[in-house]
Amino acid sequence: MDALQLLITRRSSKKLAAPAPNAGQLEQILQAATQVPDHGNMRPFHFTVIQGEVGLQRFRDVLKQTVTELNFGDDAMKKAEKVGNMAPMVIGVTFAPNREVAKPKPEWEQMLTAGCAAYALQLAATAQGFDNVWITGMWINSPLLRQAFGCADKDKIIGLMMVGSPTEEIHKPKNTDLEQFVSYW
C-alpha cells in the first residue's frame, strides 16, 4: 500500500482479533511513532505495550479496579470488560512533557507531538495489515492506569491504541465533501 492510499483509507475498527503484531512488526510500529515532527527534539511521549495473557490480564484488572474504586457502576463495569477484551495488543500513549532541556518548547507543542506519535503508530500498524482504534474515555484519567503506566504529575495518557488483525473490511472514504473543511484564498 502506498503512503497516499494508506492516509486515504485508514479507519478505526473495534473488531479486532489475534494475531497482534509480532516483535519485528511492533519494532517498526514504534520506530514510526518516534519519527514525528518534534520541535526541539523533546521526545514528549512514552509507549506502554500491553500484550500476552499476563499483560492483558493486568490491563483488565486495572480497568475493573478503576470502575470499582471510582464507583462508576454496572454499565461502566460492562464497558471495562469490553475494552479489556477488545484487542490482542494495547499500546498506551502517554504525553510526558520534557522540561529537562535548556530551551523547552511550549507544552501545547509537545502535546501535539505526542498526538502525532499516536497517529503515526496507527498508520504504521495499518500499513502492516493490522486494524486499530484509538480510545480514550474514562480510562485515560484513571489514577490506577496512570500509576501502572508510570505517569509523573504532568503526564497525561492521551490514548489506548487497540491493535489487532482485521475481522472485516472497512476501507472506504470517510469524508467525500471537502467543501465544509477547506477554504481557499
Side-chain angles (χ1 to χ4, degrees):
M1 172 182 304
D2 71 28
L4 186 56
Q5 191 65 21
L6 172 65
L7 291 167
I8 291 171
T9 60
R10 193 219 65 83
R11 297 291 172 269
S12 295
S13 174
K14 292 181 180 178
K15 296 185 178 183
L16 306 166
N22 64 35
Q25 292 164 322
L26 177 60
E27 166 92 12
Q28 289 185 319
I29 290 167
L30 295 171
Q31 281 292 336
T34 64
Q35 304 306 309
V36 297
D38 183 6
H39 186 191
N41 201 27
M42 303 274 95
R43 304 262 187 214
F45 41 74
H46 183 80
F47 307 104
T48 302
V49 179
I50 302 164
Q51 61 185 344
E53 191 49 44
V54 172
L56 290 168
Q57 186 57 54
R58 181 176 174 203
F59 177 64
R60 289 189 284 268
D61 291 345
V62 168
L63 296 180
K64 290 177 185 177
Q65 288 171 353
T66 295
V67 171
T68 301
E69 287 189 18
L70 298 178
N71 296 315
F72 284 151
D74 292 339
D75 288 342
M77 187 60 77
K78 289 176 189 169
K79 194 175 242 186
E81 290 172 12
K82 181 179 176 182
V83 168
N85 291 295
M86 187 180 290
M89 178 181 282
V90 180
I91 304 174
V93 181
T94 302
F95 162 59
N98 184 341
R99 293 190 188 87
E100 302 300 318
V101 295
K103 293 183 179 181
K105 303 306 176 208
E107 282 193 19
W108 67 267
E109 276 190 47
Q110 293 187 55
M111 186 174 276
L112 289 173
T113 295
C116 287
Y119 186 54
L121 188 153
Q122 287 190 293
L123 291 174
T126 301
Q128 295 184 74
F130 297 98
D131 275 355
N132 54 80
V133 63
W134 177 338
I135 65 169
T136 55
M138 67 185 97
W139 316 115
I140 63 169
N141 295 316
S142 162
L144 295 170
L145 195 57
R146 287 177 47 77
Q147 180 181 14
F149 283 7
C151 291
D153 288 344
K154 289 280 193 170
D155 295 357
K156 296 180 187 312
I157 299 171
I158 62 169
L160 300 171
M161 303 305 174
M162 315 305 272
V163 182
S165 293
T167 61
E168 65 184 13
E169 287 293 321
I170 57 166
H171 301 289
K172 52 187 172 175
K174 187 189 286 187
N175 299 320
T176 54
D177 180 12
L178 296 177
E179 189 173 311
Q180 61 183 325
F181 304 109
V182 181
S183 299
Y184 294 93
W185 286 28

